Amino acid sequence: LIALAAIATVALADVIYVYQGTITATATTPPLTFSTGPNGQNNYITFTGTDKGFTATIALTNSYAAYFYEAGELTVNTGGTLYVSSVSTSGSPMISSMIIYIAPSSSPNSPVCTFQVLSGGATTVPTTTCSLTTTDSPYYIHIYVVTNTPVTNTLSETVTVNFGYNVVSNQAVQVPQ
């Protein structure tokens, strides 16, 4: 009986094979660079861009909507496919709808990307993608916001939009968080 117990223990043991991979990281030019657009610094919006993304602080009133035209600028260093991978909000729900437009600076009223990230106050992740090229670069970023009225000075909402940019194919690949 003891010999049988010893054999069962051996039969139930885990077997792990170990392999090794080597990953070497090197620096490269970022494929996208965000910066302040022609209308991105005034009393109503402050748009600040970096290689990692952008931040924008917008002033909202009791108007139906606000359109922040040419608030940001997007320089394409490597062509690829832009998409929204996630959207989240925090704070007081003062925004009903938000659409982010990306348009070539040569034709700023003809967006190549339209991303609705808020609808009816709820986050939405658009399924659309758009191709950006170095030829049409730079692009302008416009932000259209419909407010939940009444808007008061005690309200504040933050909308975080995570973008993906695929430089290999036109696929929108969800990145693990």
Side-chain angles (χ1 to χ4, degrees):
L1 190 59
I2 294 173
L4 185 58
I7 292 172
T9 303
V10 171
L12 298 176
D14 291 330
V15 176
I16 309 298
Y17 296 102
V18 179
Y19 298 92
Q20 181 180 18
T22 302
I23 299 171
T24 302
T26 61
T28 187
T29 302
L32 299 177
T33 305
F34 294 87
S35 58
T36 305
N39 300 321
Q41 292 288 334
N42 55 55
N43 292 337
Y44 307 100
I45 185 168
T46 302
F47 188 104
T48 305
T50 67
D51 289 344
K52 296 180 182 181
F54 67 88
T55 60
T57 302
I58 58 175
L60 298 178
T61 68
N62 281 325
S63 65
Y64 171 76
Y67 187 44
F68 301 95
Y69 181 74
E70 296 182 358
E73 189 169 293
L74 178 59
T75 301
V76 176
N77 299 312
T78 305
T81 301
L82 184 68
Y83 58 95
V84 173
S85 59
S86 67
V87 181
S88 62
T89 61
S90 62
S92 307
M94 64 187 299
I95 301 172
S96 175
S97 176
M98 179 181 285
I99 303 172
I100 299 171
Y101 298 100
I102 313 288
S105 61
S106 60
S107 55
N109 295 317
S110 300
V112 294
C113 308
T114 301
F115 298 126
Q116 181 156 10
V117 296
L118 285 178
S119 178
T123 61
T124 177
V125 177
T127 57
T128 56
T129 64
C130 64
S131 295
L132 301 180
T133 67
T134 56
T135 306
D136 291 333
S137 181
Y139 294 83
Y140 288 139
I141 300 170
H142 316 304
I143 303 170
Y144 179 76
V145 177
V146 176
T147 58
N148 284 324
T149 54
V151 172
T152 65
N153 291 340
T154 60
L155 298 177
S156 175
E157 183 174 15
T158 299
V159 179
T160 302
V161 180
N162 290 312
F163 295 93
Y165 191 63
N166 192 334
V167 296
V168 176
S169 75
N170 62 355
Q171 297 293 317
V173 177
Q174 292 304 313
V175 179
Q177 301 294 324

